[in-house]
Amino acid sequence: MEAARVARVILLLLPLCFLEVADTTGINPCCYFPCQNKGVCVNFGREDYECDCTRTGYYGVNCTLPYFWSRVYTILKPSPSFLHHALTHYKWFWDILSNISFISDTLMRLVLVARSNMIPSPPTYNSDYNYITWEGYANVSYFTRLLPPVPKDCPTPTGTRGYKKPPDAEQLAEEFLLRRKFIPDPQGSNLMFAFFAQHFTHQFFRTDFDRGPEFTKALGHGVDLTHIYGSSLERQHHLRIFKDGKLKYQVVNGEVFPPSVKDAPIKMKYPSTLPEEKRFAIGHDLFGLLPGLMMYATIWLREHNRVCDILKEEHPTWSDEQLFQTTRLILIGETIKIVIEDYVQHLSGYNFKLRFNPELLFKEHFQYRNRIAIEFNHLYHWHPLMPDTFIVKGQEFSYKDFLFNTEVLLDIGVEDLVESFSKQRAGRVSGGKNIHQHVLKVAIGVIEHGRKLRLQPFNEYRKWFGLTPYKSFQELTGETEVAAKLEKLYGHIDAIEFFPALLLEEPQENSIFGESIVEMGAPFSLKGLMGNPICSPEYWKPSTFGGKTGFDIVNTATIQKLVCLNVKKCPYVSFHVPYDIDSDGERERKEPSTEL
C-alpha cells in the first residue's frame, strides 16, 4: 500500500514541471486529471487520490496498464483518420458492399453499436456534481454530462494547466472566430442542410436561460417533434383542429401555411413591429426568426395533415386523437430515417451507405432511452454554416431584412425557397474565422456558458473518445500564426476550451468538419436517434404506425419525398448544392432525379 501511495504521488507531481501557476500546494489531485482510459478519480484529502479502473480494460495507479485483450484491441483498432479516409474514398468498393445486404447490415450494426456504446446509458453526471448522484440520473430538467465538471477548487479554470483567468470571450471570438471572408464548405453543403440542422436540433437543444445553461426546457431529451407540436399539452391543443387528427393551418394564395397567432393563440417571439396577422403560430416559439425555419415548419405541417388523410381513409372509425397520435409516430419515424440516410449521410461524407433499420439492434444489449448532453449541445453550434447574405430567386437579403420576415415565405412560396436554399452553398464549420458578425454573439455566449459549466478542457474529451490528445496548438490548427496567438492566450494546449477548439481545429481533407466534431458528434447523434422508443422491438412494427401503409411511409421517407409530396411542383431538393465550386470556377454536377 505504501509503495502504491508513493507511486501515485510521483506520478501526480510530474505535471508540475509544466505547470503555469505559482502556488501548487494543497491542490485537489483530481485537478490534474490523472486517471486515463475513462478511469474515475476519487480524491482522499488534499494529497492522495485513487483511480477507479473498473471495466475500463486497464489497471494500475492511473489506469494506464492494459489487460491483454485491451492491448490486442488497441493494436488492431484502425485510427479515426484511417477510417475517415477509407470511408470517404474508394467509392466503387463501398458501392459493391452496399449492394450485398448481409455485409452492409453487419457493417451498419457495427457502426451503431460501436458509436452508441460510447455514450453512457443510463446518464451519469449533471453540472451540480462532479461525482455520480441519483440526481444526475433522475432530474431530467438538467442536460446530462459526459465528463464531470472541473472541481471548483482547482487552480485554473481547466484544472492545473494554463492561466488562472481565461482569455476574454469577446476578444477570443472576434480574433479567431469572426469571418473576414466567407469560407464555403468544400463538401458542398447548402442552406437546405443548414436550416434542417437548426430546425431538427432545436426540438432537443432548448437551453433554459432563465434557470441557467445547465438546464433544458426539452424534457423529452430526443426526437419527439415538440418543435412541430409544442413542448406542452396546452400549446399542442392550441395548434390542433381536433378533427381528423389535423393541425391548424391557413390558406394563402391557394397554399397551406401555419396558422396565425390569432387563430392559434400561443406565445411566439416576434418583434413588436410585426403585425399580428403576419405572425405564424409554430410549435417552437422562436421559429418565426428565419424563413428557412418557417419553411420547414410549413413542410412538416403539410406532411402531418397529408398523413392524417391517408390514415383517415384506411381507418374511418378512428377518433381524432388516435389519428393525431399515430400520425405523430409516423412523422417521428420519417424524421429519424431522413436524418440518418440523408442528413448524416451527407455530413459524414462517407461512401458507405448508412441505413435506418432498427432491427439490426434487436439482438444487441441496447437501452432505448436517451439524455441530451451539454457537450452535444455546445458541439452543435454550427453558426459558420450561415452565409453573408441570403439569395432567394435572385433577390439578396441581408440579415436585417431576412430575420422575422414572414412575407418571404408567403410571397415566394415553399417550392422556390427549397430550390434557392438547395442551391446556395453553406459555410465551412471547422477551421476558424467563419462566423458572420450578426451571429458572433451566440458563439461568445457558448464560450461563456462553457466556463460557467466548468467543462473539462478539450484534450480530456479527445482522450475520452479514444482520440490522441493534441500536443501543440500548431497540431490543433494545422498552421503557425494562429497557433502562436492561441498559445499566448492559453499558455498550454491542455488549457484550450472545448467549444473554441472544435471550431479552430484543422478541417479534415475536403471536409466541413475537423476530426473531433465527427468523432464526438456521431456517438451522441446515433445513440439519440436509435435510442428513440419507436426503434425498440415493442414499438417497431406496422401496428404502431396504423398498419402497413403507415409503416411504408416511414420506411420510404427521404428529404426529397418529404418536400415533393407537399408542394405542387417538385423543385431541386438536396442537402448538396447542384454545382461543385472549386478554385477554377464552376464544374457542372448532375442533379438528382426528382422522381419519387
Side-chain angles (χ1 to χ4, degrees):
M1 282 295 292
E2 189 60 32
R5 181 184 294 271
V6 171
R8 278 198 295 268
V9 172
I10 291 174
L11 288 169
L12 188 62
L13 290 175
L14 284 176
L16 293 178
C17 300
F18 308 98
L19 196 62
E20 285 93 357
V21 291
D23 183 10
T24 60
T25 58
I27 295 175
N28 179 346
C30 292
C31 291
Y32 294 94
F33 307 115
C35 306
Q36 306 300 302
N37 300 301
K38 302 184 182 179
V40 178
C41 183
V42 181
N43 67 301
F44 295 89
R46 287 287 185 177
E47 297 181 354
D48 203 6
Y49 72 98
E50 182 175 284
C51 290
D52 184 350
C53 308
T54 305
R55 288 183 291 278
T56 63
Y58 291 80
Y59 66 98
V61 174
N62 286 346
C63 308
T64 55
L65 303 175
Y67 289 107
F68 174 76
W69 287 114
S70 296
R71 189 183 300 274
V72 171
Y73 175 78
T74 302
I75 293 172
L76 296 179
K77 181 185 177 183
S79 68
S81 59
F82 173 83
L83 283 176
H84 180 81
H85 178 83
L87 288 165
T88 55
H89 293 74
Y90 318 113
K91 187 175 183 300
W92 62 270
F93 174 74
W94 294 111
D95 285 344
I96 292 173
L97 291 189
S98 296
N99 289 320
I100 305 174
S101 59
F102 80 92
I103 294 180
S104 62
D105 284 351
T106 300
L107 290 175
M108 191 67 203
R109 183 184 301 107
L110 290 173
V111 169
L112 293 173
V113 171
R115 294 294 197 183
S116 298
N117 283 347
M118 299 184 79
I119 304 303
S121 188
T124 48
Y125 304 100
N126 70 22
S127 293
D128 276 351
Y129 305 94
N130 60 359
Y131 49 88
I132 295 290
T133 62
W134 181 256
E135 182 78 5
Y137 163 77
N139 193 339
V140 296
S141 64
Y142 282 88
F143 288 106
T144 188
R145 294 180 67 132
L146 190 66
L147 293 180
V150 174
K152 292 181 179 180
D153 54 356
C154 292
T156 73
T158 52
T160 58
R161 299 292 197 183
Y163 304 117
K164 290 184 177 181
K165 187 177 180 181
D168 179 76
E170 188 171 342
Q171 176 192 349
L172 183 69
E174 289 181 352
E175 185 168 0
F176 299 100
L177 302 181
L178 177 64
R179 176 180 295 160
R180 275 67 170 175
K181 181 181 178 181
F182 177 72
I183 305 171
D185 166 34
Q187 280 184 226
S189 300
N190 56 27
L191 293 193
M192 194 70 178
F193 171 85
F195 286 128
F196 185 93
Q198 192 173 9
H199 186 269
F200 164 71
T201 59
H202 275 64
Q203 64 188 298
F204 45 79
F205 293 151
R206 300 202 63 188
T207 305
D208 189 342
F209 295 110
D210 293 332
R211 300 181 66 187
E214 63 269 40
F215 292 98
T216 177
K217 295 179 181 179
L219 303 185
H221 284 270
V223 180
D224 54 11
L225 306 195
T226 50
H227 60 324
I228 298 173
Y229 302 110
S231 56
S232 68
L233 195 59
E234 179 185 9
R235 190 176 183 90
Q236 177 199 115
H237 284 179
H238 280 303
L239 291 169
R240 289 174 59 180
I241 298 175
F242 288 102
K243 181 181 179 182
D244 298 336
K246 291 187 176 183
L247 296 172
K248 289 180 180 178
Y249 61 92
Q250 61 176 313
V251 178
V252 180
N253 297 325
E255 299 283 351
V256 169
F257 294 98
S260 71
V261 292
K262 283 186 175 181
D263 295 326
I266 58 176
K267 185 178 179 181
M268 294 291 298
K269 294 180 180 178
Y270 287 106
S272 58
T273 55
L274 188 68
E276 192 176 45
E277 63 272 12
K278 293 184 179 180
R279 302 181 187 185
F280 290 131
I282 301 172
H284 194 295
D285 60 358
L286 195 57
F287 277 5
L289 174 68
L290 289 164
L293 300 178
M294 295 183 244
M295 174 196 72
Y296 272 113
T298 302
I299 292 170
W300 282 112
L301 164 66
R302 295 177 182 181
E303 176 67 1
H304 176 94
N305 288 350
R306 185 186 76 85
V307 173
C308 282
D309 285 337
I310 293 172
L311 290 181
K312 176 70 175 178
E313 185 175 348
E314 287 218 339
H315 306 283
T317 61
W318 276 14
S319 67
D320 163 77
E321 188 67 20
Q322 188 166 3
L323 289 169
F324 172 83
Q325 296 294 348
T326 304
T327 297
R328 181 172 185 168
L329 291 173
I330 290 173
L331 264 64
I332 289 174
E334 286 186 84
T335 298
I336 296 175
K337 187 172 188 296
I338 289 170
V339 169
I340 290 177
E341 296 192 3
D342 289 326
Y343 175 80
V344 175
Q345 181 75 63
H346 168 75
L347 68 84
S348 71
Y350 293 166
N351 287 317
F352 172 65
K353 300 300 181 185
L354 302 177
R355 291 179 56 230
F356 173 50
N357 182 1
E359 294 180 15
L360 296 176
L361 293 175
F362 285 179
K363 294 182 180 180
E364 304 291 336
H365 296 289
F366 192 81
Q367 296 192 33
Y368 293 94
R369 182 181 180 185
N370 186 58
R371 283 280 293 280
I372 298 298
I374 194 69
E375 294 94 344
F376 190 33
N377 186 358
H378 282 213
L379 176 147
Y380 231 109
H381 280 77
W382 295 349
H383 290 86
L385 288 170
M386 290 292 104
D388 288 336
T389 58
F390 303 87
I391 302 171
V392 182
K393 285 196 71 177
Q395 184 177 354
E396 190 170 9
F397 293 87
S398 67
Y399 278 79
K400 179 182 178 182
D401 296 331
F402 202 62
L403 299 182
F404 295 110
N405 190 341
T406 57
E407 291 183 353
V408 171
L409 177 64
L410 291 174
D411 294 345
I412 295 176
V414 171
E415 293 99 325
D416 288 329
L417 279 181
V418 168
E419 181 131 358
S420 295
F421 292 151
S422 293
K423 291 182 177 181
Q424 183 174 0
R425 192 184 287 266
R428 190 185 69 191
V429 174
S430 294
K433 295 184 179 180
N434 206 23
I435 299 182
H436 190 275
Q437 176 69 54
H438 199 90
V439 291
L440 188 67
K441 60 185 178 182
V442 181
I444 295 170
V446 177
I447 295 171
E448 292 173 341
H449 288 163
R451 293 170 181 178
K452 183 177 180 181
L453 295 163
R454 306 196 316 279
L455 292 183
Q456 290 193 23
F458 181 62
N459 264 342
E460 292 304 309
Y461 285 99
R462 292 272 302 176
K463 289 189 282 187
W464 203 95
F465 281 98
L467 303 171
T468 303
Y470 287 117
K471 298 180 176 63
S472 68
F473 288 99
Q474 185 172 346
E475 188 181 7
L476 168 71
T477 62
E479 54 82 82
T480 56
E481 184 179 349
V482 171
K485 292 179 180 179
L486 287 171
E487 186 164 14
K488 185 177 180 181
L489 281 179
Y490 280 102
H492 198 285
I493 186 62
D494 286 341
I496 192 168
E497 300 158 281
F498 179 70
F499 176 67
L502 287 170
L503 293 190
L504 292 170
E505 185 178 34
E506 180 183 18
Q508 294 178 305
E509 180 185 3
N510 296 319
S511 177
I512 187 173
F513 301 122
E515 177 185 63
S516 298
I517 286 184
V518 174
E519 295 300 318
M520 297 178 188
F524 283 123
S525 180
L526 291 177
K527 175 62 174 72
L529 294 167
M530 301 307 298
N532 193 285
I534 73 157
C535 300
S536 68
E538 290 74 19
Y539 279 62
W540 189 252
K541 55 188 73 172
S543 57
T544 299
F545 307 97
K548 182 181 182 301
T549 299
F551 205 31
D552 286 344
I553 293 174
V554 172
N555 283 312
T556 60
T558 66
I559 185 62
Q560 189 177 31
K561 286 187 68 175
L562 174 66
V563 172
C564 292
L565 290 173
N566 290 290
V567 295
K568 293 179 179 178
K569 182 181 178 182
C570 186
Y572 171 72
V573 187
S574 177
F575 289 141
H576 195 292
V577 291
Y579 297 95
D580 287 332
I581 309 297
D582 56 29
S583 58
D584 297 322
E586 294 190 354
R587 175 165 51 86
E588 187 173 354
R589 177 185 179 88
K590 184 179 179 181
E591 297 187 11
S593 170
T594 57
E595 294 181 7
L596 299 181

